[in-house]
Amino acid sequence: MLMREIGKINRCAIYFIEQHLSGTGLSGCHLNFVINICKNPGITQEQLAKKIYIDKSRVTRQLAFLEENGYVDRNQSEADKRSMAVYPTDKMLELYPKVCSVAKEWRRYLTEELSEEEITFFESILERVSEKAQAYLDKREAKK
């Protein structure tokens, strides 16, 4: 039941985001890309994949789309010549405040009928569950 409900919330969030970002060419899956690239200019593709828990090939495809549409620039990393560093373009930086606003609006909508105490409790539980999920992936990566 937990996975079903989390999946349902995620699918609804993607629909909400797409509605509010219509006309930008971005889909709901790009929200995490925009936020993480704007907060971490020069992040490598591999770091981005780990940060948003998406496989490297999907990150590469989404970054190619973002680059083709003028949202990011990818350059060889200065620190590691084998890696590609990702930078937001002015187009992405202009969109960034709207993306943050949409994310806040979705959170506000979801929690509008909850008390501050319920929101705090709910977020703490989600954080603990998320940390447990992250620990699983970290153990899996360590075995490689």
Side-chain angles (χ1 to χ4, degrees), residues 11-26:
R11 286 186 299 279
C12 292
I14 289 170
Y15 180 74
F16 181 89
I17 292 160
E18 287 175 354
Q19 278 190 313
H20 287 79
L21 295 181
S22 67
T24 65
L26 299 180

PDB file of all heavy atoms in Angstrom, residues 11-26:
ATOM      1  N   ARG A  11       2.708  10.534  -9.483  1.00  0.00           N
ATOM      2  CA  ARG A  11       2.060  10.717 -10.784  1.00  0.00           C
ATOM      3  C   ARG A  11       1.208  11.984 -10.802  1.00  0.00           C
ATOM      4  O   ARG A  11       1.211  12.734 -11.786  1.00  0.00           O
ATOM      5  CB  ARG A  11       1.222   9.489 -11.150  1.00  0.00           C
ATOM      6  CG  ARG A  11       2.085   8.295 -11.562  1.00  0.00           C
ATOM      7  CD  ARG A  11       1.253   7.129 -12.058  1.00  0.00           C
ATOM      8  NE  ARG A  11       0.336   6.593 -11.057  1.00  0.00           N
ATOM      9  CZ  ARG A  11       0.675   5.750 -10.091  1.00  0.00           C
ATOM     10  NH1 ARG A  11       1.921   5.330  -9.982  1.00  0.00           N
ATOM     11  NH2 ARG A  11      -0.228   5.314  -9.236  1.00  0.00           N
ATOM     12  N   CYS A  12       0.508  12.250  -9.716  1.00  0.00           N
ATOM     13  CA  CYS A  12      -0.299  13.473  -9.629  1.00  0.00           C
ATOM     14  C   CYS A  12       0.597  14.710  -9.620  1.00  0.00           C
ATOM     15  O   CYS A  12       0.260  15.733 -10.232  1.00  0.00           O
ATOM     16  CB  CYS A  12      -1.180  13.447  -8.384  1.00  0.00           C
ATOM     17  SG  CYS A  12      -2.487  12.200  -8.451  1.00  0.00           S
ATOM     18  N   ALA A  13       1.732  14.623  -8.946  1.00  0.00           N
ATOM     19  CA  ALA A  13       2.679  15.743  -8.903  1.00  0.00           C
ATOM     20  C   ALA A  13       3.197  16.052 -10.300  1.00  0.00           C
ATOM     21  O   ALA A  13       3.282  17.225 -10.697  1.00  0.00           O
ATOM     22  CB  ALA A  13       3.842  15.424  -7.960  1.00  0.00           C
ATOM     23  N   ILE A  14       3.523  15.019 -11.053  1.00  0.00           N
ATOM     24  CA  ILE A  14       4.017  15.220 -12.413  1.00  0.00           C
ATOM     25  C   ILE A  14       2.965  15.928 -13.264  1.00  0.00           C
ATOM     26  O   ILE A  14       3.265  16.870 -13.992  1.00  0.00           O
ATOM     27  CB  ILE A  14       4.469  13.873 -13.040  1.00  0.00           C
ATOM     28  CG1 ILE A  14       5.760  13.414 -12.369  1.00  0.00           C
ATOM     29  CG2 ILE A  14       4.637  13.987 -14.553  1.00  0.00           C
ATOM     30  CD1 ILE A  14       6.187  12.008 -12.720  1.00  0.00           C
ATOM     31  N   TYR A  15       1.718  15.511 -13.139  1.00  0.00           N
ATOM     32  CA  TYR A  15       0.628  16.147 -13.881  1.00  0.00           C
ATOM     33  C   TYR A  15       0.493  17.620 -13.468  1.00  0.00           C
ATOM     34  O   TYR A  15       0.382  18.504 -14.320  1.00  0.00           O
ATOM     35  CB  TYR A  15      -0.676  15.383 -13.632  1.00  0.00           C
ATOM     36  CG  TYR A  15      -1.850  15.962 -14.363  1.00  0.00           C
ATOM     37  CD1 TYR A  15      -1.987  15.788 -15.745  1.00  0.00           C
ATOM     38  CD2 TYR A  15      -2.829  16.682 -13.689  1.00  0.00           C
ATOM     39  CE1 TYR A  15      -3.067  16.330 -16.421  1.00  0.00           C
ATOM     40  CE2 TYR A  15      -3.904  17.229 -14.365  1.00  0.00           C
ATOM     41  CZ  TYR A  15      -4.015  17.046 -15.728  1.00  0.00           C
ATOM     42  OH  TYR A  15      -5.076  17.584 -16.401  1.00  0.00           O
ATOM     43  N   PHE A  16       0.513  17.884 -12.176  1.00  0.00           N
ATOM     44  CA  PHE A  16       0.411  19.249 -11.644  1.00  0.00           C
ATOM     45  C   PHE A  16       1.545  20.125 -12.187  1.00  0.00           C
ATOM     46  O   PHE A  16       1.322  21.238 -12.670  1.00  0.00           O
ATOM     47  CB  PHE A  16       0.458  19.202 -10.112  1.00  0.00           C
ATOM     48  CG  PHE A  16       0.349  20.529  -9.433  1.00  0.00           C
ATOM     49  CD1 PHE A  16      -0.880  21.064  -9.101  1.00  0.00           C
ATOM     50  CD2 PHE A  16       1.489  21.247  -9.100  1.00  0.00           C
ATOM     51  CE1 PHE A  16      -0.984  22.292  -8.462  1.00  0.00           C
ATOM     52  CE2 PHE A  16       1.408  22.477  -8.464  1.00  0.00           C
ATOM     53  CZ  PHE A  16       0.157  22.997  -8.141  1.00  0.00           C
ATOM     54  N   ILE A  17       2.762  19.600 -12.125  1.00  0.00           N
ATOM     55  CA  ILE A  17       3.943  20.345 -12.580  1.00  0.00           C
ATOM     56  C   ILE A  17       3.838  20.638 -14.073  1.00  0.00           C
ATOM     57  O   ILE A  17       4.092  21.763 -14.512  1.00  0.00           O
ATOM     58  CB  ILE A  17       5.235  19.566 -12.245  1.00  0.00           C
ATOM     59  CG1 ILE A  17       5.441  19.518 -10.730  1.00  0.00           C
ATOM     60  CG2 ILE A  17       6.444  20.177 -12.938  1.00  0.00           C
ATOM     61  CD1 ILE A  17       6.376  18.416 -10.269  1.00  0.00           C
ATOM     62  N   GLU A  18       3.441  19.634 -14.843  1.00  0.00           N
ATOM     63  CA  GLU A  18       3.320  19.833 -16.287  1.00  0.00           C
ATOM     64  C   GLU A  18       2.295  20.901 -16.624  1.00  0.00           C
ATOM     65  O   GLU A  18       2.504  21.705 -17.532  1.00  0.00           O
ATOM     66  CB  GLU A  18       2.998  18.508 -16.983  1.00  0.00           C
ATOM     67  CG  GLU A  18       4.207  17.591 -17.007  1.00  0.00           C
ATOM     68  CD  GLU A  18       3.932  16.214 -17.565  1.00  0.00           C
ATOM     69  OE1 GLU A  18       2.750  15.876 -17.855  1.00  0.00           O
ATOM     70  OE2 GLU A  18       4.898  15.452 -17.710  1.00  0.00           O
ATOM     71  N   GLN A  19       1.194  20.922 -15.906  1.00  0.00           N
ATOM     72  CA  GLN A  19       0.179  21.962 -16.122  1.00  0.00           C
ATOM     73  C   GLN A  19       0.746  23.347 -15.850  1.00  0.00           C
ATOM     74  O   GLN A  19       0.504  24.285 -16.598  1.00  0.00           O
ATOM     75  CB  GLN A  19      -1.029  21.738 -15.222  1.00  0.00           C
ATOM     76  CG  GLN A  19      -2.014  20.742 -15.740  1.00  0.00           C
ATOM     77  CD  GLN A  19      -3.279  20.778 -14.916  1.00  0.00           C
ATOM     78  OE1 GLN A  19      -3.243  20.777 -13.693  1.00  0.00           O
ATOM     79  NE2 GLN A  19      -4.408  20.801 -15.589  1.00  0.00           N
ATOM     80  N   HIS A  20       1.487  23.478 -14.770  1.00  0.00           N
ATOM     81  CA  HIS A  20       1.997  24.778 -14.346  1.00  0.00           C
ATOM     82  C   HIS A  20       3.249  25.217 -15.108  1.00  0.00           C
ATOM     83  O   HIS A  20       3.617  26.387 -15.055  1.00  0.00           O
ATOM     84  CB  HIS A  20       2.238  24.788 -12.837  1.00  0.00           C
ATOM     85  CG  HIS A  20       0.957  24.827 -12.068  1.00  0.00           C
ATOM     86  ND1 HIS A  20       0.181  23.715 -11.862  1.00  0.00           N
ATOM     87  CD2 HIS A  20       0.309  25.856 -11.495  1.00  0.00           C
ATOM     88  CE1 HIS A  20      -0.895  24.053 -11.181  1.00  0.00           C
ATOM     89  NE2 HIS A  20      -0.848  25.344 -10.943  1.00  0.00           N
ATOM     90  N   LEU A  21       3.895  24.281 -15.787  1.00  0.00           N
ATOM     91  CA  LEU A  21       5.058  24.640 -16.594  1.00  0.00           C
ATOM     92  C   LEU A  21       4.772  24.533 -18.090  1.00  0.00           C
ATOM     93  O   LEU A  21       5.691  24.526 -18.901  1.00  0.00           O
ATOM     94  CB  LEU A  21       6.258  23.749 -16.228  1.00  0.00           C
ATOM     95  CG  LEU A  21       6.820  23.885 -14.824  1.00  0.00           C
ATOM     96  CD1 LEU A  21       8.012  22.960 -14.628  1.00  0.00           C
ATOM     97  CD2 LEU A  21       7.210  25.327 -14.516  1.00  0.00           C
ATOM     98  N   SER A  22       3.480  24.472 -18.434  1.00  0.00           N
ATOM     99  CA  SER A  22       3.138  24.362 -19.858  1.00  0.00           C
ATOM    100  C   SER A  22       3.694  25.567 -20.613  1.00  0.00           C
ATOM    101  O   SER A  22       3.768  26.678 -20.082  1.00  0.00           O
ATOM    102  CB  SER A  22       1.628  24.242 -20.057  1.00  0.00           C
ATOM    103  OG  SER A  22       0.991  25.441 -19.691  1.00  0.00           O
ATOM    104  N   GLY A  23       4.123  25.308 -21.814  1.00  0.00           N
ATOM    105  CA  GLY A  23       4.716  26.355 -22.630  1.00  0.00           C
ATOM    106  C   GLY A  23       6.225  26.452 -22.485  1.00  0.00           C
ATOM    107  O   GLY A  23       6.878  27.168 -23.234  1.00  0.00           O
ATOM    108  N   THR A  24       6.779  25.733 -21.530  1.00  0.00           N
ATOM    109  CA  THR A  24       8.236  25.773 -21.333  1.00  0.00           C
ATOM    110  C   THR A  24       8.939  24.645 -22.082  1.00  0.00           C
ATOM    111  O   THR A  24      10.146  24.693 -22.260  1.00  0.00           O
ATOM    112  CB  THR A  24       8.603  25.646 -19.840  1.00  0.00           C
ATOM    113  OG1 THR A  24       8.197  24.350 -19.370  1.00  0.00           O
ATOM    114  CG2 THR A  24       7.955  26.735 -19.000  1.00  0.00           C
ATOM    115  N   GLY A  25       8.172  23.634 -22.463  1.00  0.00           N
ATOM    116  CA  GLY A  25       8.773  22.459 -23.108  1.00  0.00           C
ATOM    117  C   GLY A  25       9.253  21.428 -22.107  1.00  0.00           C
ATOM    118  O   GLY A  25       9.752  20.380 -22.491  1.00  0.00           O
ATOM    119  N   LEU A  26       9.115  21.722 -20.820  1.00  0.00           N
ATOM    120  CA  LEU A  26       9.562  20.797 -19.784  1.00  0.00           C
ATOM    121  C   LEU A  26       8.414  19.914 -19.324  1.00  0.00           C
ATOM    122  O   LEU A  26       7.259  20.325 -19.333  1.00  0.00           O
ATOM    123  CB  LEU A  26      10.126  21.561 -18.589  1.00  0.00           C
ATOM    124  CG  LEU A  26      11.332  22.446 -18.865  1.00  0.00           C
ATOM    125  CD1 LEU A  26      11.774  23.139 -17.588  1.00  0.00           C
ATOM    126  CD2 LEU A  26      12.477  21.650 -19.460  1.00  0.00           C
TER     127      LEU A  26
END
